[in-house]
Amino acid sequence: MNDIKNQDDLYLLVDEFYKKLLSDEAISYIFTDIVKIKLEEHLPILVTFWSQAILGTGGYTKNLTQIHLDVNAKSYLSPELFKIWLNHFYNTVDENFVGPKAEQIKTQALSIGTVMQIKIKNERN
């Protein structure tokens, strides 16, 4: 297995990750019923986000925190949902990549999930 090297690798990662999320009934409703994402539009945005975070390419301009707070306003994003999300993310990375960038993206995902949970908790208080 190789490390994450480019946007094609990130597209593979995000695509496989969303296949897992959408096949898991415990979390899929967020994407199918609450947000109703159009995967063909959503995947390139996610690739741009992760490319900026891991490869330093830039180009992501959306407010990641606000997007998740808006989703949370529609349906509570519980700590359990974040655990499911992170587990699928880690598994997808580990099934497809090995190396420093693979480890970096897992650490970044943990950081993002942790920050989101703090922001959601603060908003609920």
Side-chain angles (χ1 to χ4, degrees):
M1 268 193 290
N2 295 318
D3 201 1
I4 298 167
K5 292 183 262 178
N6 54 43
Q7 289 189 338
D8 289 341
D9 291 341
L10 290 169
Y11 192 92
L12 170 75
L13 171 64
V14 172
D15 188 47
E16 292 298 315
F17 172 54
Y18 267 78
K19 286 176 185 171
K20 289 182 187 330
L21 290 176
L22 293 172
S23 66
D24 185 337
E25 291 179 10
I27 196 169
S28 63
Y29 72 95
I30 295 290
F31 305 98
T32 58
D33 300 339
I34 307 302
V35 180
K36 297 179 181 161
I37 63 165
K38 294 181 175 103
L39 211 49
E40 66 279 358
E41 295 172 11
H42 194 57
L43 289 183
I45 294 167
L46 292 170
V47 169
T48 300
F49 171 80
W50 285 114
S51 182
Q52 177 170 301
I54 301 304
L55 304 175
T57 56
Y60 185 80
T61 59
K62 298 182 183 295
N63 183 332
L64 183 68
T65 301
Q66 192 59 53
I67 290 167
H68 287 85
L69 291 175
D70 291 347
V71 173
N72 183 67
K74 295 176 185 177
S75 180
Y76 177 51
L77 297 178
S78 68
E80 182 57 36
L81 288 172
F82 279 98
K83 287 178 191 167
I84 293 166
W85 178 86
L86 194 61
N87 185 51
H88 284 309
F89 194 84
Y90 280 10
N91 287 339
T92 307
V93 172
D94 291 342
E95 288 166 5
N96 293 282
F97 301 100
V98 64
K101 294 290 184 194
E103 293 306 312
Q104 181 185 351
I105 204 168
K106 290 191 296 185
T107 301
Q108 188 83 23
L110 175 60
S111 296
I112 290 166
T114 302
V115 168
M116 291 300 158
Q117 289 179 77
I118 291 167
K119 301 263 185 186
I120 286 167
K121 185 175 182 186
N122 288 343
E123 194 156 279
R124 289 175 62 92
N125 291 337

